[in-house]
Amino acid sequence: LTVGLDRPHIYTIAQRTWGKKVTLFLGAAPAALYRSNDLGESWTEMTSLRDVPDVNQWSFPPPPHIAHVKNIAFHPNEPATIFVSIEQGGLFKSMDDGESWLEITSYSHPDDIAYRDIHRLLIHPRTPEVFYLASGEGLFRSTDRGGTWDQLTRRGDPMGYPDFLYFDPDDINIIYMAGSYRNPGYWMQ
């Protein structure tokens, strides 16, 4: 159903269970975040995400250059804490169930090729201070909830442009990662 959706493209869907309540979230293009409290019967845009600074810099390299919400993640022990990845625009965190947002920029460097090209955030379910971040600049790991990051791969490495990250369902100490050595513009070469 599309009641309340006014964006033409949906990029991601995520489900959060908080107590006995299930909430669905959709990420769209142009970059927007929606929520449904009735299992998708209706949707409400979480407009607060677009109240953050630098929204005018959000873009996506291929024409028509429209950024999108690429990934939605939830803190495993803090249900009101939501993370949203904008490709390309940044990594955002809400600690009040989407009422307000802060940008996490501790992973970025002034010499990054792409502007805050965030693909996916993965939070370790048993050690939730450990984050993994797949980006257009490589794979990063934080052991302090995103305060600081170690860059594990870089563009040009065999997996320098990771896109997907998943924990092995049988062993959460194993992460599966998919991507390329560089951005999509090089994939046909």
Side-chain angles (χ1 to χ4, degrees):
L1 295 171
T2 60
V3 174
L5 293 177
D6 59 359
R7 297 291 199 278
H9 303 287
I10 303 302
Y11 274 81
T12 189
I13 186 169
Q15 169 260 318
R16 178 189 66 191
T17 303
W18 187 347
K20 294 184 179 184
K21 182 178 178 183
V22 174
T23 306
L24 300 177
F25 294 83
L26 287 178
L33 182 65
Y34 293 85
R35 74 184 299 149
S36 173
N37 294 319
D38 57 12
L39 299 177
E41 293 292 324
S42 63
W43 297 91
T44 303
E45 183 179 353
M46 300 174 73
T47 58
S48 58
L49 180 61
R50 298 191 61 80
D51 292 338
V52 299
D54 299 330
V55 171
N56 61 331
Q57 294 185 49
W58 295 2
S59 185
F60 189 60
H65 309 293
I66 298 172
H68 54 271
V69 172
K70 176 98 173 187
N71 180 244
I72 305 161
F74 308 102
H75 192 281
N77 298 336
E78 301 166 14
T81 301
I82 306 167
F83 297 87
V84 172
S85 306
I86 305 290
E87 186 178 37
Q88 293 179 246
L91 174 62
F92 298 91
K93 175 183 180 180
S94 173
M95 296 179 292
D96 55 12
D97 200 28
E99 293 294 319
S100 63
W101 297 87
L102 303 169
E103 184 175 7
I104 297 173
T105 59
S106 50
Y107 64 88
S108 67
H109 299 90
D111 58 343
D112 286 350
I113 295 169
Y115 177 76
R116 301 177 182 166
D117 186 9
I118 305 303
H119 299 161
R120 196 161 315 274
L121 177 71
L122 197 61
I123 302 171
H124 197 282
R126 289 198 191 129
T127 315
E129 63 273 5
V130 177
F131 292 4
Y132 296 92
L133 181 68
S135 81
E137 298 296 332
L139 177 67
F140 295 82
R141 178 184 56 217
S142 174
T143 58
D144 60 3
R145 298 173 60 111
T148 60
W149 299 85
D150 295 317
Q151 189 167 6
L152 305 178
T153 70
R154 289 173 168 68
R155 283 185 187 227
D157 289 349
M159 191 63 71
Y161 189 88
D163 200 340
F164 294 98
L165 295 175
Y166 295 97
F167 287 112
D168 184 310
D170 295 324
D171 184 350
I172 60 170
N173 293 311
I174 297 172
I175 295 175
Y176 294 105
M177 181 168 74
S180 177
Y181 76 108
R182 293 184 77 175
N183 62 310
Y186 292 89
W187 294 356
M188 300 302 283
Q189 297 179 0

